[in-house]
């Protein structure tokens, strides 16, 4: 990135970025083009960028040449202690009078601890601004040709995390209620405990032949999609070495990929099945 190659944004009433402000920005699921324009504006104006591991390096290259970069990814060990460190670092940078961009993968307030950071900053009297981002559980699935809602399948969608602060399957989740209550479940951080999660959902009455997709590295060049079922998911995920970061989607919306896997179609492949839900042609109404 050099300043001879400035990125000019369309004229717009962009929010100000005064010194001392900490601006939390969602970078989107991976592909740099999925950053918002407001996010790009903030990136170009920041003095320092504090970013997570999930933020693609190509986005960071859009910073000004004189913008400092700080990596704040968790490096194993004690994630919560580390989280405190990150918040304190943000406070320190703000008190130094820096324009601080806190860049997080996906949306900052979706399973990303952005809420905790924002609260700590507010409690410390640090002014903040928040720019949402495209969350992997929506945008990542769209890249796989899976709509999170479809009129013929679901009127609700539930987002959940496959592990909580303890690192175990979230004890707080009422799996039977989830299994009954939502036709589509979108699971973040669910790979490690996939066998346990699948067992819990099967025990709660979800059918073993229910479609399930795993989308790994969604929107990125290394994106991989596994289409399987709830009953075979754990086995297939291991056999296919599906890796994190990955989104797991359970529900009949997964079938829609047979019709709208647009990436494959752009490569010249025909749709596998134009009517996977068997609802006939959709026109209007
Ligand atoms: N704030 C982020 C989520 C952070 S939690 C968001 O809104 O998307 C990290 C989890 O997000 C990962 O374990 C994975 O489940 C999911 N994730 C993030 N980026 C992803 C990607 N490119 N592909 C698949 N899953 C992704």
């Amino acid at each position: 990135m050099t300043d001879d190659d400035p990125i000019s944004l369309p004229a717009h009433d962009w929010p100000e970025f005064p010194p001392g402000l900490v601006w939390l920005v969602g970078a989107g699921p991976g592909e740099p083009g999925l950053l918002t324009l407001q996010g790009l504006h903030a990136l170009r104006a920041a003095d320092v960028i504090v970013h997570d591991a999930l933020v693609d390096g190509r986005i960071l290259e859009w910073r000004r040449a004189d913008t400092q970069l700080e990596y704040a990814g968790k490096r194993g060990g004690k994630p919560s202690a580390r989280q405190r460190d990150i918040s304190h670092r943000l406070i320190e940078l703000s008190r130094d009078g820096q324009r601080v961009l806190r860049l997080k993968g996906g949306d900052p307030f979706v399973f990303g601890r952005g809420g905790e950071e924002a609260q700590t900053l507010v409690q410390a009297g640090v002014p903040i601004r928040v720019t949402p981002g495209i969350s992997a559980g929506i945008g990542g699935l769209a890249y796989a040709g899976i709509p999170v809602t479809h009129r013929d399948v679901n009127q609700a969608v539930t987002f959940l995390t496959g592990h909580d602060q303890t690192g175990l399957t979230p004890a707080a989740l009422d799996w039977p209620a989830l299994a009954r209550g939502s036709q589509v479940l979108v699971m973040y951080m669910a790979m490690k405990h996939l066998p346990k999660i699948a067992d819990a959902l099967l025990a709660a009455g979800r059918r073993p032949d229910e479609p399930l997709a795993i989308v790994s590295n969604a929107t990125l060049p290394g994106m991989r999609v596994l289409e399987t079922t709830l009953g075979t998911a754990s086995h297939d995920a291991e056999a296919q070495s599906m890796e994190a970061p990955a989104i797991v989607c359970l529900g009949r919306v997964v079938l829609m990929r047979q019709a709208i896997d647009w990436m494959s179609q752009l490569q010249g492949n025909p749709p596998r099945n134009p009517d996977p839900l068997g609802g006939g042609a959709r026109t209007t109404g």
Side-chain angles (χ1 to χ4, degrees):
M1 175 84 255
T2 63
D3 277 335
D4 333 328
D5 180 22
I7 294 169
S8 45
L9 286 168
H12 177 70
D13 197 7
W14 299 109
E16 265 187 52
F17 201 160
L21 182 79
V22 177
W23 196 331
L24 272 94
V25 173
E31 154 60 31
L34 297 176
L35 176 70
T36 62
L37 288 179
Q38 192 176 98
L40 181 59
H41 161 77
L43 185 96
R44 295 292 294 164
D47 298 318
V48 49
I49 299 172
V50 182
H51 66 98
D52 286 346
L54 278 177
V55 174
D56 194 278
R58 291 169 295 171
I59 290 180
L60 299 172
E61 280 170 24
W62 288 337
R63 73 189 186 277
R64 289 195 328 260
D66 58 343
T67 300
Q68 195 188 317
L69 269 192
E70 283 192 23
Y71 175 68
K74 293 185 290 288
R75 296 193 185 89
K78 301 177 189 148
S80 19
R82 186 83 193 126
Q83 185 59 48
R84 256 196 317 275
D85 294 348
I86 296 169
S87 299
H88 286 143
R89 179 65 185 143
L90 295 172
I91 293 166
E92 192 174 69
L93 288 165
S94 156
R95 291 191 176 145
D96 272 359
Q98 308 276 328
R99 298 174 182 84
V100 187
L101 182 78
R102 175 67 174 117
L103 196 56
K104 300 177 77 77
D107 182 278
F109 285 175
V110 178
F111 300 130
R113 300 164 189 247
E116 292 162 52
E117 282 176 29
Q119 181 184 16
T120 310
L121 291 164
V122 167
Q123 285 172 349
V126 170
I128 62 167
R129 178 182 283 282
V130 180
T131 297
I134 297 177
S135 192
I138 298 177
L141 292 178
Y143 259 59
I146 300 170
V148 277
T149 75
H150 185 292
R151 271 200 298 174
D152 293 340
V153 175
N154 60 327
Q155 290 69 48
V157 54
T158 299
F159 298 96
L160 61 96
T161 170
H163 65 110
D164 59 18
Q165 284 154 345
T166 63
L168 303 170
T169 322
L173 287 179
D174 180 344
W175 293 98
L178 282 172
R180 270 195 316 275
S182 186
Q183 301 105 322
V184 173
L185 300 178
V186 176
M187 305 178 235
Y188 293 69
M189 297 174 273
M191 293 303 280
K192 193 166 158 206
H193 299 303
L194 192 57
K196 270 200 219 157
I197 292 170
D199 285 351
L201 289 167
L202 288 166
R206 295 297 277 241
R207 293 169 51 115
D209 62 355
E210 186 170 3
L212 182 148
I214 299 176
V215 186
S216 130
N217 285 302
T219 79
L220 291 165
M223 169 164 141
R224 288 176 62 214
V225 184
L226 173 69
E227 287 174 52
T228 174
T229 62
L230 180 58
T232 49
S234 309
H235 171 269
D236 289 353
E238 202 179 327
Q240 303 286 318
S241 325
M242 295 303 288
E243 280 168 7
I247 286 290
V248 178
C249 178
L250 175 68
R252 287 176 65 246
V253 285
V254 166
L255 297 176
M256 286 302 292
R257 178 169 152 85
Q258 297 171 13
I260 55 174
D261 179 5
W262 54 270
M263 277 195 150
S264 162
Q265 289 162 28
L266 287 174
Q267 285 158 13
N269 302 307
R272 274 179 287 157
N273 175 2
D275 187 20
L277 298 172
R282 273 238 168 253
T283 47
T284 52

